[in-house]
Amino acid sequence: MMLQASTVASSYPGSRFRPMWRVRNDIENMLTALRAGGDALHLGCGNDPIAGVINCDLHSPHADRRVDATDLSVFDDASINLIEHHHMIEHLSVAELNRALAETARVLRPGGFLVVSAPDLERVIDEWRSMAENDRWDYGIKMLYGSQEHDGMFHKNGFTPSRLAALLEPFGIRQEWHYRGYPERRTPSFISISRKIGGDAR
């Protein structure tokens, strides 16, 4: 069953004058509610599969299905309520990203949700500049270019909430909410929640 838009919209956490841990807790609760709507995909699951959804990855043994985010042909048009990926989108080149967003728009139902978290490029750069010299050329480089253990761990792209919103619009997907500070990682990150226009989304 599709989660009602009003239920989710009223659950978008407020962040003003609130400690980060409270906002993060609210985000976790909101994601749990979204996943309960069924027909959900987790793309690029890596070593962190999510219970109750279809976990997809080309490289991870933890995936339920070996599926590439740029080719979701195993899923029918307008068949999915929720697509989420966490720290995956930065591993896509510009051409790969366009294919992935086109596929996302194809398989999402009208009013369906897209949840993305990614390194926050502006804040990553600020963090890199403030690092001690040794850290800058160790973990700092990994924040920018990926840890590079295998082909799926190279960073090929960079995002901020506003850039992501602009990239989604031509595919009929509109960002409704974002928060800079989730997930809790050493790499500064943001989360974005968007919806495919149509259905309850306008």
Side-chain angles (χ1 to χ4, degrees), residues 39 41 71-83 99 101-112 196:
D39 295 326
L41 304 181
D71 180 7
L72 303 178
S73 56
V74 295
F75 302 105
D76 293 336
D77 294 359
S79 62
I80 301 297
N81 287 330
L82 167 68
I83 294 176
R99 293 198 299 273
L101 293 181
E103 281 289 85
T104 292
R106 180 184 65 78
V107 303
L108 273 180
R109 291 179 177 139
K196 182 176 176 179

Side-chain angles (χ1 to χ4, degrees), residues 3 5-14 26-27 29-30 33 177:
L3 209 61
S6 57
T7 302
V8 176
S10 66
S11 300
Y12 290 148
D26 287 349
I27 291 170
N29 291 335
M30 177 178 59
W177 180 87

Side-chain angles (χ1 to χ4, degrees), residues 122-202:
E122 289 176 340
R123 296 188 176 185
V124 165
I125 291 170
D126 289 342
E127 179 83 5
W128 185 85
R129 286 174 172 158
S130 69
M131 282 179 165
E133 192 75 5
N134 288 344
D135 286 343
R136 180 180 290 179
W137 301 114
D138 182 18
Y139 188 76
I141 284 293
K142 293 176 182 177
M143 287 197 302
L144 288 164
Y145 298 109
S147 53
Q148 305 188 12
E149 292 98 340
H150 55 71
D151 287 347
M153 295 301 290
F154 285 77
H155 289 184
K156 303 175 185 177
N157 222 320
F159 301 91
T160 64
S162 60
R163 178 172 189 250
L164 179 60
L167 290 168
L168 293 174
E169 281 282 347
F171 294 92
I173 301 171
R174 182 166 297 149
Q175 187 179 88
E176 292 189 341
W177 180 87
H178 72 269
Y179 178 70
R180 302 179 98 159
Y182 181 94
E184 185 175 4
R185 292 188 175 208
R186 184 178 176 189
T187 300
S189 304
F190 72 91
I191 187 170
S192 160
I193 297 183
S194 306
R195 300 184 67 203
K196 182 176 176 179
I197 296 168
D200 293 326
R202 295 288 184 263

